[in-house]
């Protein structure tokens, strides 16, 4: 099969490799689409976790190819919850929280390939009326929906989203679906326009307008929920500063810089980070993609497997795309 190997910093190579064989409790999938995640971009930028046998990609839509256990018929359309490969024995694995495993096993590979092997327990069937392309958004939308749940967002809450890339736009959709009044911020005009289509009531350029003053003008209480989705150091500080008293700050991006927490303390704010979705939030994401089809507008491009490296470089260069899907084969 073809697979994209993350060999080093800014280096991805497409080459042939043996088709993986599923082990006990595993299923082999034929990948159809796999989205490029912000975490994938961060690894690509830094070279962290790279190696000759490393295949990234976890936002997949696929079809069952082989299930030795016989539970999933071949051709069944699915997505997979990326829980990680737990040891099955540590305290976290015994609680079913495999992503926190203290002794994780080496993964065979990820979704930037023709085939991938995953634990059968992670499979989620796709609705018949949802296309494979849209279904590849279930994992990151599941992250956004779980973040909204962790924030305790309620109908009528004023919510602020800084950074309208893919996770920011999906957060807008999730907050809007929860009944929140959403304001989004991004320096790029095209992303601000997408924000309005997906659920923002208002948008602005945080490099031209002060987020604290702009959000206060929209609602003098300030945001009750504020999400940092840009992964930019200045953005996190601005989100903390703009968030209202007793507000909740969600860190969904990966800003690699220190911040000053004095204003958070004075405002009695709470903050949380998030690693990924839950199985339940991914199921809810599939439902939401059906009831709010405009959410899928976050997908702005699909490229073939051979152009994966080009797609990564384009996103890092700010080529105008939000969510890019790698098409392994349909």
């Amino acid at each position: 099969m073809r697979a994209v190997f993350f060999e080093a910093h800014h280096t991805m190579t497409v080459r042939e490799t043996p088709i993986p064989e599923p082990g006990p409790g595993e299923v082999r999938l034929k990948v159809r689409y796999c989205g490029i995640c912000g975490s994938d971009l961060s690894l690509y930028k830094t070279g962290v976790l790279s190696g000759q046998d490393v295949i990234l990609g976890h936002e997949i839509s696929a079809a069952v190819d082989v299930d030795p256990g016989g539970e999933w018929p071949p051709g069944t359309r699915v997505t997979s919850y990326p829980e990680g490969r737990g040891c099955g024995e540590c305290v976290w694995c015994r609680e079913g929280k495999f992503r926190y495993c203290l002794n994780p096993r080496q993964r065979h590979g990820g979704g930037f390939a023709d085939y991938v092997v995953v634990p059968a327990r992670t499979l989620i069937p796709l609705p018949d009326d949802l296309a494979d392309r849209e279904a590849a958004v279930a994992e990151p939308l599941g992250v956004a929906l779980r973040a909204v749940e962790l924030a305790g967002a309620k109908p009528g809450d004023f919510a602020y989203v800084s950074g309208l890339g893919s996770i920011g736009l999906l957060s807008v959709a999730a907050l809007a679906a929860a009944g929140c009044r959403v304001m989004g911020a991004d320096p790029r005009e095209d992303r601000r326009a997408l924000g309005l289509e997906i659920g923002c009531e208002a948008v602005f350029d945080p490099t031209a307008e002060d987020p604290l003053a702009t959000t206060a003008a929209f609602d003098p209480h300030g945001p009750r929920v504020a999400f940092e989705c840009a992964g930019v150091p200045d953005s996190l500080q601005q989100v903390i500063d703009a968030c209202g008293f007793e507000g909740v700050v969600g860190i969904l991006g990966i800003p690699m810089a220190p911040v000053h927490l004095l204003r958070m303390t004075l405002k009695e704010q709470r903050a949380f980070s998030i690693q990924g979705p839950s199985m339940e939030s991914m199921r809810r994401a599939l439902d939401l993609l059906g009831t709010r089809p405009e959410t899928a507008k976050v997908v702005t491009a699909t490229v073939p497997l051979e152009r994966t490296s080009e797609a990564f470089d384009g996103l890092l260069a700010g080529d105008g795309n939000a969510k890019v899907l790698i098409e392994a084969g349909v």
Side-chain angles (χ1 to χ4, degrees), residues 255-278:
M256 300 182 184
V259 294
H260 299 288
L261 299 180
L262 177 60
R263 186 163 282 139
M264 174 177 279
T265 301
L266 295 176
K267 288 186 171 183
E268 296 190 344
Q269 296 169 345
R270 294 186 296 112
F272 69 91
S273 59
I274 186 168
Q275 185 184 13
S278 64

Side-chain angles (χ1 to χ4, degrees), residues 157-224:
D157 280 347
F158 173 32
Y160 170 49
V161 177
S162 177
L164 299 177
S166 59
I167 194 61
L169 290 167
L170 292 171
S171 295
V172 167
L175 288 161
C180 296
R181 300 171 295 134
V182 188
M183 174 177 281
D186 198 282
R188 285 172 41 177
E189 183 178 0
D190 59 326
R191 289 186 173 180
R192 296 197 299 272
L194 264 177
L196 291 171
E197 292 185 54
I198 288 175
C200 285
E201 292 187 16
V203 293
F204 68 96
D205 179 353
T207 66
E209 300 180 56
D210 175 52
L212 176 57
T214 305
T215 54
F218 188 84
D219 185 326
H221 287 98
R224 201 199 74 76

Side-chain angles (χ1 to χ4, degrees), residues 20-108:
E21 293 297 330
E26 295 182 329
V27 174
R28 185 168 71 211
L29 304 179
K30 175 67 180 75
V31 179
R32 292 182 170 170
Y33 292 97
C34 185
I36 298 177
C37 176
S39 63
D40 295 327
L41 284 173
S42 294
L43 295 175
Y44 184 69
K45 282 192 298 186
T46 61
V48 174
L49 301 185
S50 62
Q52 289 298 306
D53 298 320
V54 176
I55 306 170
L56 300 179
H58 55 272
E59 301 177 357
I60 67 171
S61 62
V64 173
D65 184 55
V66 175
D67 176 13
E71 179 182 355
W72 296 89
T76 303
R77 298 170 58 246
V78 296
T79 186
S80 175
Y81 167 59
E83 65 176 16
R85 298 294 181 110
C87 66
E89 300 176 356
C90 72
V91 61
W92 295 109
C93 286
R94 291 198 301 270
E95 294 177 6
K97 299 177 181 179
F98 300 98
R99 67 154 52 105
Y100 303 144
C101 178
L102 300 177
N103 305 291
R105 292 182 291 162
Q106 182 71 27
R107 294 187 62 184
H108 173 84

